[in-house]
Amino acid sequence: MPDTRPDPDALLAQLRSDEARALRGKLRIYFGASAGVGKTWAMLSAAQRERAAGRDVLVGVAETHGRSETAALLAGLELLPLREVDHRGRRLAEFDLDAALARKPAVLLVDELAHTNAPGSRHAKRWQDVQELLAAGIEVWSALNVQHLESLNGTVGAITGVRVHETVPDTVLDEADEVVLVDVTPDELAARLAAGKVYLPQQAERAAQNFFRKGNLIALREIALRRTAEHVEDDVRGWRVEQSGAAGRNGKDGQGGALQAWNTSGAILACVGPHEGDAQTVRTAARLAGQLNVRWHAAYVETPRLQRLAAEERDRILAVLKLAEELGAATAVLTGSDVAEQLAEQARRLNCATLVLGRPEQPGGWRRWWPATPMPLSRALARRAPALDIMEVGRADSSRRLARAPIAATRADNDDHEKAPVHWPGYAWATAASVVLTLVCTPLARVLELSNIVMLFMLGVVGVAMRFGRGPSALAALLNVAAFDYFFVPPRLSFAVSDVQYVLTFAVMLGVGLLVGQLMAGLRFAAGVSTSRERRARSLFELTRELSAALESTQVVALGAAAVQGHFGGQALVLVTDAADQLVLPKSPPEGFDAQVADWAFRHGQPAGLATATLAAQPWHYVPLQAPMRVRGVLALSPAQPRWLLIPEQAQQLDTLARQIAIALERVHYVEVAQQAVVEMESERLRNALLGAISHDVRTPLTALIALAESLQTLPPEAHAEAARAIVAQAHELHALVNNLLDMARLESGIAGGAVNLRRDWQSVEEVVGSAIRAARTALGHTVVQTALEPGLALVEFDAVLIERVLVNLIENATKYGAPSIVVGARAEPGTLRLTVRDHGPGLPAALLGREQKLFDKFTRGETESATPGVGLGLAICRAVVSAHGGEIAAANAQGGGAEFTVTLPRREPPETAEAQF
């Protein structure tokens, strides 16, 4: 019988997904092929129906574009006032995000999802505002045209010839809970355009001649239908997966058969290069991944040649990688000299089945016939990974160009990253090395063969290549060939060559020099890559090692800030929360730090500030410290090189550092919680023990005293004396109990830092033992106490009253739980005095063997349930007194039966004056 039990991991993931979905608001998108199909009209019509049904509907933004039928649908709906923003002398009306969050309606209408917000807004795009509204639990309705989808930007641009600059990542549409397709035929849309129901007459005529041509509308309608069908297919697949889990729980589906989750094909790897058209490659890969419902990745391989690109081209590559992340890809920057090898290895590592490449530019002119034309990347990949599917993407010249990254755009024009620096000292050293070799070899030409002179010149090229790299080594090779030809090859002092064989020598010298330079450049590049990786790994290792030893949150804060600052430079702050779960801000914040942005990142659990989509104009980058259980604070960073935050590896490094800090803060928090719980448990145990002791050992003598006092009224006079003695005995017992409680409190206070006043003096051990036996006479009754004192014991320095109390408690304990005879012993050992109290009873309880020290805990008794009076404080007082004297106390079973308690006190030789006085 097949096992139909559900997968626990799948169930847990489903529960977490359901919980997150329950807290997040729903997103409904009215989707259309172009403007004018009636998306806003359909959205407002549905809003009127919801209002009539009693739901709280609020219109945040509704673009009617002057259409009277659409504007009429706003009647009766509550409108959210727009906020005014000043921009270049103009007043712009924008959606008020904060007001919407404060109002928090059941349904919020936010039209024009692809709209770009005015500069200075919290988010650059309106779809980012919608994401924050959804995270706040608000249901949002919006409208979107197909040409505004990022992955279709190039395709729509190629069809219509119009570039659309306002786009929305495909993930926004994919994650929408509902997609409502609003569709009309091209002829009906053209009729509406002619009737002025889409644009004003002047605009309508121009639009009909350009964008709204019938062929364009048919193509856009097909794309919209296909894209909607893909979303419906995703819904069906998700439903089947959920039903598969339900079938695992219930045993069968509605039709009596077990459902199975659908298998998916392999992942996709998009190869990003330095070419401007690679944004289209990323968009195509995103669209293909969405159609196949597979995960996809984007990778860029940095070679030594690409490392020398100008900053503008490098920023364009980072912008393409950022676009891939927005479209849902996992990005990576690889390093190596062979692009095909690195991409093939990455595809194998990520289990990718398809590689998406940009179509290479065809060389023009004479380069088309040049035999040294490099092999196309697709052919090189086919050789190294014959099992992979390789797809070439055509170039879409009409697609929107990506803007430079905001970080790069803010740099000064004279930034040293704009152009790779030229190492002129290396070329100077190469020239100097050639001159020195020529001067050294000139006198040696009379004693050495020309072949040996060639070796010396080649050695110089190798040395320059090792020290200064490819360019200086190439110059050294040229200069050495010229110097060897001019000064050493006959005829000398001329570039003429009498022997044609020397031409081969010149070629070999030049080739070896260039080859060595190339190899050294590759080695230096690989060494730089390894150094960077080692630096990232070392910073993580050091932070993890140091955080593992941190026991307080202040240590974690200091270590985390130092680690992040050491890796990224600049300034770093680790902000934690207080007891009220509020972010603790620095008393003197550094320049550029914004407390409101840090608090926003903490409350929403999302990065903000520099190099993010939220308040990107901020000079600081804010990362929430997301621990497994909750957000523990915020990591604020102002890096030395802001563009590092755009590099995927550096962004992952920062995220990993933040995660390690968050985990350490959570660990410290739960250590404190555990310590507090232990203290509370111990306090509760002591409280219960104290209440139990008072309820039994205090109530018993009090009850006896009341009964005896009442009996005095009825007893004859001759019995009054006996009753008085019983009252006195019960009063002494109660007095002893209260004294024990008070003494224990005083001693515990002294051990915890209070003052235990020890009246140390030179005492006679015999006298203290004798006085203790006399003080315990009431408890002893007719029991005989024997002494075994070493003859001639010298004086010992201690507090006689407290040590006497220790011996009294030990004697009383032996009387209660032991049996005669009781032996009190004392003997001197080197540096110590050993006191023993032994009985001949049953010995220590079996449950305490091996952990005899537990006897000396407060409210611990030899027998948990016993009629013997006592609260279990006597031995605890003994240990406190002995510890105050710097000694030790122990308990063990004695040979021959019985229990033996041993007190060890430090001892020193008494001064002569003390002996004389005694």
Side-chain angles (χ1 to χ4, degrees):
M1 181 177 179
D3 186 7
T4 59
R5 291 176 300 177
D7 182 5
D9 294 334
L11 285 178
L12 183 59
Q14 182 66 33
L15 290 174
R16 290 176 176 173
S17 176
D18 294 342
E19 182 181 0
R21 192 182 301 117
L23 296 176
R24 184 177 175 85
K26 293 184 178 180
L27 174 61
R28 177 189 293 183
I29 295 180
Y30 289 83
F31 191 56
S34 66
V37 297
K39 300 181 301 299
T40 305
W41 189 89
M43 181 171 62
L44 292 175
S45 299
Q48 289 286 2
R49 292 192 295 271
E50 291 294 316
R51 184 183 67 86
R55 295 193 70 186
D56 180 17
V57 180
L58 177 66
V59 179
V61 178
E63 299 290 348
T64 62
H65 298 287
R67 304 166 193 156
S68 57
E69 302 105 333
T70 305
L73 291 174
L74 291 172
L77 293 174
E78 181 183 354
L79 302 180
L80 182 70
L82 300 177
R83 65 183 181 92
E84 293 187 350
V85 180
D86 292 328
H87 180 61
R88 296 180 179 177
R90 298 175 56 193
R91 302 286 291 180
L92 302 179
E94 289 288 347
F95 169 63
D96 195 341
L97 175 60
D98 291 325
L101 290 171
R103 173 66 171 76
K104 199 171 185 178
V107 179
L108 178 65
L109 276 62
V110 183
D111 204 359
E112 299 289 345
L113 188 60
H115 173 75
T116 300
N117 294 329
S121 301
R122 182 185 305 170
H123 302 294
K125 299 288 187 177
R126 183 168 290 171
W127 64 265
Q128 295 169 335
D129 294 340
V130 170
Q131 293 293 323
E132 185 170 345
L133 292 168
L134 296 174
I138 301 175
E139 182 176 344
V140 180
W141 295 0
S142 188
L144 181 68
N145 291 331
V146 68
Q147 66 264 29
H148 293 295
L149 282 179
E150 182 63 57
S151 66
L152 298 173
N153 183 267
T155 302
V156 174
I159 293 173
T160 62
V162 178
R163 292 190 303 176
V164 178
H165 294 277
E166 293 182 331
T167 59
V168 173
D170 288 43
T171 52
V172 176
L173 182 65
D174 295 336
E175 295 174 357
D177 298 276
E178 298 178 9
V179 174
V180 180
L181 178 64
V182 182
D183 182 48
V184 297
T185 63
D187 293 335
E188 182 180 352
L189 182 58
R192 295 188 61 185
L193 181 67
K197 296 182 179 180
V198 179
Y199 295 123
L200 297 176
Q202 302 87 344
Q203 296 175 327
E205 182 179 357
R206 188 165 57 252
Q209 297 175 356
N210 296 286
F211 189 88
F212 282 82
R213 290 178 295 181
K214 186 172 182 178
N216 293 349
L217 297 179
I218 294 174
L220 293 177
R221 188 186 185 200
E222 178 185 4
I223 294 174
L225 291 172
R226 288 183 180 275
R227 194 65 180 83
T228 306
E230 291 172 9
H231 190 277
V232 174
E233 183 181 4
D234 291 339
D235 291 342
V236 173
R237 184 178 294 110
W239 178 85
R240 286 183 59 86
V241 171
E242 292 180 1
Q243 293 302 310
S244 177
R249 294 188 293 271
N250 302 327
K252 52 182 69 178
D253 65 354
Q255 300 177 355
L259 286 171
Q260 298 294 332
W262 291 359
N263 295 326
T264 58
S265 57
I268 295 175
L269 177 61
C271 307
V272 177
H275 307 293
E276 187 172 342
D278 281 345
Q280 179 64 16
T281 303
V282 168
R283 296 188 181 101
T284 302
R287 187 169 66 253
L288 182 61
Q291 293 171 352
L292 298 177
N293 191 32
V294 297
R295 56 187 174 86
W296 71 288
H297 308 263
Y300 163 69
V301 181
E302 188 172 65
T303 62
R305 181 180 63 85
L306 296 179
Q307 196 179 36
R308 299 191 298 273
L309 291 175
E312 182 177 357
E313 297 179 353
R314 295 171 66 85
D315 292 336
R316 183 171 62 243
I317 295 170
L318 294 177
V320 174
L321 291 175
K322 188 70 174 177
L323 172 64
E325 289 183 354
E326 293 176 354
L327 294 176
T331 60
V333 175
L334 310 176
T335 53
S337 57
D338 192 332
V339 176
E341 180 180 356
Q342 293 296 325
L343 290 176
E345 179 63 27
Q346 182 76 351
R348 285 190 290 267
R349 186 184 305 113
L350 300 174
N351 194 26
C352 295
T354 304
L355 274 73
V356 180
L357 311 174
R359 182 169 298 162
E361 296 180 354
Q362 296 297 328
W366 60 271
R367 294 183 179 179
R368 182 179 307 173
W369 310 104
W370 183 251
T373 301
M375 181 186 300
L377 179 59
S378 58
R379 289 179 57 190
L381 282 169
R383 287 187 176 184
R384 285 172 171 78
L388 295 179
D389 297 331
I390 300 175
M391 175 186 294
E392 286 191 358
V393 177
R395 298 186 176 277
D397 296 333
S398 60
S399 63
R400 175 180 59 92
R401 291 187 178 183
L402 294 177
R404 294 180 64 186
I407 293 177
T410 58
R411 293 189 308 212
D413 295 336
N414 60 351
D415 192 349
D416 56 357
H417 292 279
E418 289 295 329
K419 188 181 294 183
V422 180
H423 300 285
W424 295 113
Y427 292 96
W429 278 103
T431 305
S434 180
V435 172
V436 171
L437 280 173
T438 303
L439 296 176
V440 171
C441 292
T442 298
L444 297 177
R446 301 176 183 176
V447 296
L448 297 177
E449 296 290 337
L450 290 182
S451 59
N452 295 325
I453 300 296
V454 169
M455 294 297 104
L456 293 176
F457 276 106
M458 292 181 65
L459 180 62
V461 173
V462 172
V464 172
M466 292 181 61
R467 180 64 181 85
F468 300 106
R470 177 170 36 206
S473 68
L475 177 61
L478 291 173
L479 293 178
N480 287 356
V481 169
F484 179 71
D485 180 17
Y486 189 81
F487 292 103
F488 299 98
V489 175
R492 301 178 63 183
L493 301 180
S494 171
F495 287 106
V497 179
S498 60
D499 192 346
V500 181
Q501 294 184 1
Y502 284 113
V503 176
L504 178 60
T505 302
F506 300 155
V508 171
M509 288 180 62
L510 184 59
V512 168
L514 296 177
L515 178 61
V516 170
Q518 181 69 20
L519 292 176
M520 290 307 303
L523 290 176
R524 292 165 68 91
F525 175 74
V529 171
S530 300
T531 301
S532 177
R533 291 176 178 173
E534 189 272 338
R535 179 170 173 265
R536 293 200 299 267
R538 186 178 67 252
S539 63
L540 282 176
F541 169 74
E542 292 178 350
L543 177 61
T544 305
R545 181 186 60 190
E546 294 173 353
L547 289 179
S548 64
L551 298 177
E552 297 180 356
S553 59
T554 54
Q555 294 176 304
V556 176
V557 168
L559 293 173
V564 175
Q565 188 169 338
H567 185 82
F568 290 93
Q571 293 178 286
L573 295 174
V574 176
L575 310 177
V576 297
T577 57
D578 56 13
D581 200 23
Q582 298 294 324
L583 202 62
V584 179
L585 300 174
K587 296 181 179 179
S588 55
E591 183 180 359
F593 177 82
D594 194 326
Q596 294 182 349
V597 181
D599 185 68
W600 187 92
F602 170 71
R603 287 186 291 103
H604 292 80
Q606 298 177 4
L610 184 68
T612 67
T614 303
L615 300 171
Q618 292 288 327
W620 284 68
H621 182 76
Y622 303 87
V623 182
L625 297 178
Q626 182 68 57
M629 297 300 296
R630 45 165 296 190
V631 178
R632 293 291 170 185
V634 171
L635 170 62
L637 172 65
S638 177
Q641 295 292 338
R643 69 190 307 273
W644 282 5
L645 298 177
L646 298 177
I647 302 175
E649 277 69 19
Q650 298 295 341
Q652 294 172 4
Q653 179 79 358
L654 180 61
D655 182 70
T656 305
L657 292 173
R659 183 62 61 90
Q660 292 295 325
I661 297 172
I663 292 174
L665 287 173
E666 188 159 276
R667 175 181 59 81
V668 170
H669 169 73
Y670 282 112
V671 167
E672 295 174 353
V673 170
Q675 291 176 343
Q676 183 65 27
V678 170
V679 172
E680 292 177 356
M681 291 172 59
E682 183 65 18
S683 300
E684 182 69 15
R685 188 186 71 83
L686 293 178
R687 185 181 71 86
N688 292 336
L690 180 60
L691 291 176
I694 292 176
S695 64
H696 181 270
D697 292 276
V698 174
R699 185 172 57 183
T700 299
L702 283 177
T703 303
L705 286 173
I706 294 173
L708 291 171
E710 291 178 348
S711 65
L712 289 176
Q713 300 176 2
T714 59
L715 288 176
E718 58 273 11
H720 285 184
E722 185 65 25
R725 283 192 294 271
I727 291 174
V728 171
Q730 294 295 335
H732 277 298
E733 185 176 330
L734 184 59
H735 181 265
L737 173 62
V738 174
N739 281 341
N740 279 341
L741 292 173
L742 295 176
D743 289 346
M744 192 70 247
R746 180 173 63 89
L747 292 171
E748 286 290 326
S749 174
I751 294 174
V756 178
N757 296 321
L758 296 179
R759 301 184 60 181
R760 294 179 180 269
D761 202 354
W762 296 99
Q763 307 290 342
S764 170
V765 177
E766 292 88 346
E767 288 190 358
V768 174
V769 171
S771 62
I773 296 174
R774 288 191 298 271
R777 179 53 56 190
T778 303
L780 285 171
H782 301 290
T783 304
V784 178
V785 178
Q786 300 177 1
T787 59
L789 306 180
E790 183 180 275
L793 279 176
L795 298 181
V796 181
E797 187 180 23
F798 53 73
D799 189 322
V801 176
L802 292 180
I803 295 300
E804 177 185 323
R805 185 60 182 275
V806 170
L807 293 175
V808 170
N809 287 347
L810 293 178
I811 293 172
E812 291 180 350
N813 185 77
T815 304
K816 291 178 181 178
Y817 300 101
S821 62
I822 300 173
V823 181
V824 179
R827 70 176 184 271
E829 296 180 355
T832 60
L833 171 68
R834 186 177 294 272
L835 301 174
T836 59
V837 177
R838 177 189 175 182
D839 63 71
H840 290 77
L844 300 179
L848 293 176
L849 295 179
R851 43 194 197 101
E852 291 82 0
Q853 285 296 321
K854 188 171 179 58
L855 277 171
F856 301 98
D857 293 343
K858 295 185 293 294
F859 304 106
T860 299
R861 303 179 65 184
E863 298 178 7
T864 306
E865 299 294 336
S866 175
T868 304
V871 295
L873 286 178
L875 296 181
I877 292 174
C878 293
R879 182 172 65 177
V881 171
V882 173
S883 298
H885 282 80
E888 297 178 352
I889 185 171
N893 284 329
Q895 294 182 357
E900 184 177 47
F901 290 82
T902 303
V903 175
T904 304
L905 298 175
R907 184 180 69 89
R908 62 189 179 92
E909 293 298 327
E912 296 180 359
T913 55
E915 293 283 0
Q917 290 175 0
F918 179 76

